Amino acid sequence: MSLQDERPTAPTAADVRRWRRYLADERAEAAVYRNLSTRRSGEEREILAALADAEGRHEQHWLDLLGDDVGRPLRGSLRTRVLAALAKRFGSVFVLALMQRAEDRSPYADDDDATARMAADERIHGEVVRGLANRGRMRLSGTFRAAVFGANDGLVSNLALIIGISASGADRHFVLLSGIAGLLAGALSMGAGEYVSVRSQRELLDASAPHPEAGQAVADLDVDANELALVYRARGMDEAAAQAHAAEVLGGRTVTAATATDEHEAVGSGTSAAVSSFCFFASGAIIPVLPYLFGLEGWAAIVLAAVLVGIALLGTGAVVGVLSGASPLKRALRQLAIGFGAAVVTYGLGLLFGTGSA
């Protein structure tokens, strides 16, 4: 007996439309996971392929319900089709972060025609994709943090500098020179600061990693005294867990002490962080200077600079929202409010000092 025959009444036209839309979305989501899997290797490839197979099972559920009403294949939702195109061309952590949000918003939990198993699948898919996205975030977090921080600092600080000087009554050439000087000084400072910061953090992690020759002592340890447990207790385990883990290690005569590899990936390299910070600060800081480069001055230049910076702040905020799995709109508006808040305060100070020097 088919699923369609089990229904007490024939499906309505609205039911058929909804099922066909679900069918199209399942096919599109399966395509996203297949495309992502082709750009991965090893375990990640297997996980993504398994997710594609799971979407195929959901697809079959809607095919069984529709029966002869399947009709011509529909296209998935615009969101899903965009994700499929991005996955096919890029396969980046951005796509995984977007898929995480898509899985979390699954309508199956509130739809009587979707089984409880399907709703549970979608919830678990969200957690699987979250885990894969977190791997990508760990790989790029150090450089990405420097890039986002650099871009926003360049946008806000140079906009504040330019409108503050403009408010004091300075002419266009002085404002332009001040903006370029602020760009160069800020970019160099950001790059140097990021390099020192990341190098220092990596050196601290190196100092916390187990000594490479410590493992050679395991074979000669006193099994009864089990001093290896002290190592694990010093690294944060409670006494019982440390004793149990040390007994396992001594039993196999292998060392399983943690290293700082994962932390190193999260921090990133000093050079990449410095270069990213320099380039993105400069790219952000040049935006409020553009109106003055093209000959504008006064209020026209200030308004255009503010509009351009506002668009850039919305963009960087949305990117952070996507990568963090949060609402891009909320993050974008928060970024805009913080940036413009600083700019307004600086403009007020420029007016104050400009009036005071008149």
Side-chain angles (χ1 to χ4, degrees):
M1 180 181 293
S2 68
L3 289 175
Q4 195 176 35
D5 294 334
E6 294 176 2
R7 291 180 59 87
T9 58
T12 65
D15 289 334
V16 171
R17 286 195 299 270
R18 189 175 72 259
W19 297 345
R20 293 181 70 195
R21 187 172 66 251
Y22 287 157
L23 175 62
D25 285 342
E26 292 291 358
R27 286 172 170 168
E29 288 177 7
V32 171
Y33 290 130
R34 280 194 296 270
N35 287 329
L36 287 173
S37 70
T38 62
R39 296 178 175 273
R40 295 293 196 276
S41 60
E43 185 181 39
E44 289 190 14
R45 184 169 190 157
E46 295 175 3
I47 292 172
L48 289 164
L51 288 174
D53 292 341
E55 301 297 350
R57 293 193 297 272
H58 296 177
E59 173 187 343
Q60 188 60 50
H61 172 83
W62 301 116
L63 284 171
D64 292 341
L65 271 182
L66 284 164
D68 296 333
D69 294 321
V70 171
R72 297 177 60 185
L74 297 179
R75 303 175 72 186
S77 65
L78 177 61
R79 169 184 53 80
T80 310
R81 284 187 280 122
V82 169
L83 286 175
L86 291 173
K88 187 174 183 180
R89 289 166 176 77
F90 303 107
S92 68
V93 65
F94 291 93
V95 180
L96 285 170
L98 289 168
M99 283 303 298
Q100 173 187 321
R101 287 179 55 80
E103 295 286 5
D104 289 342
R105 292 196 301 263
S106 172
Y108 289 170
D110 300 318
D111 195 312
D112 293 336
D113 294 319
T115 66
R117 179 174 297 176
M118 290 170 65
D121 283 349
E122 294 296 315
R123 177 60 63 189
I124 295 302
H125 290 178
E127 293 306 309
V128 173
V129 176
R130 190 190 309 276
L132 293 175
N134 284 342
R135 290 188 181 188
R137 293 183 184 112
M138 287 287 289
R139 286 191 289 265
L140 61 78
S141 61
T143 301
F144 180 75
R145 175 186 59 81
V148 170
F149 181 55
N152 279 277
D153 197 16
L155 287 165
V156 175
S157 64
N158 232 27
L159 175 65
L161 173 66
I162 284 173
I163 66 174
I165 294 175
S166 296
S168 68
D171 62 29
R172 183 180 71 85
H173 291 91
F174 185 77
V175 174
L176 179 59
L177 289 174
S178 298
I180 294 174
L183 183 158
L184 293 174
L188 289 169
S189 175
M190 286 289 295
E194 279 294 330
Y195 181 82
V196 172
S197 173
V198 172
R199 285 295 303 173
S200 299
Q201 192 167 357
R202 289 179 68 88
E203 288 166 1
L204 287 173
L205 290 174
D206 286 336
S208 302
H211 193 283
E213 298 180 2
Q216 299 175 6
V218 172
D220 299 321
L221 283 176
D222 185 341
V223 176
D224 295 325
N226 198 1
E227 292 187 11
L228 186 59
L230 299 179
V231 175
Y232 300 119
R233 291 175 65 185
R235 290 186 175 274
M237 287 188 181
D238 61 44
E239 183 176 0
Q243 292 283 355
H245 188 54
E248 293 176 2
V249 173
L250 289 170
R253 288 296 191 270
T254 58
V255 178
T256 59
T259 67
T261 302
D262 292 340
E263 289 89 346
H264 280 174
E265 289 183 357
V267 173
S269 71
T271 301
S272 63
V275 171
S276 296
S277 186
F278 178 92
C279 292
F280 280 91
F281 183 97
S283 65
I286 193 64
I287 290 177
V289 178
L290 291 176
Y292 297 91
L293 282 173
F294 288 101
L296 293 179
E297 57 185 325
W299 272 106
I302 291 175
V303 170
L304 181 56
V307 170
L308 294 175
V309 168
I311 294 172
L313 287 170
L314 289 172
T316 56
V319 168
V320 172
V322 168
L323 270 183
S324 64
S327 168
L329 179 60
K330 289 182 179 179
R331 295 296 183 273
L333 293 176
R334 183 183 68 182
Q335 209 90 327
L336 182 67
I338 293 172
F340 275 9
V344 167
V345 170
T346 309
Y347 181 73
L349 291 174
L351 286 175
L352 177 63
F353 289 117
T355 303
S357 62

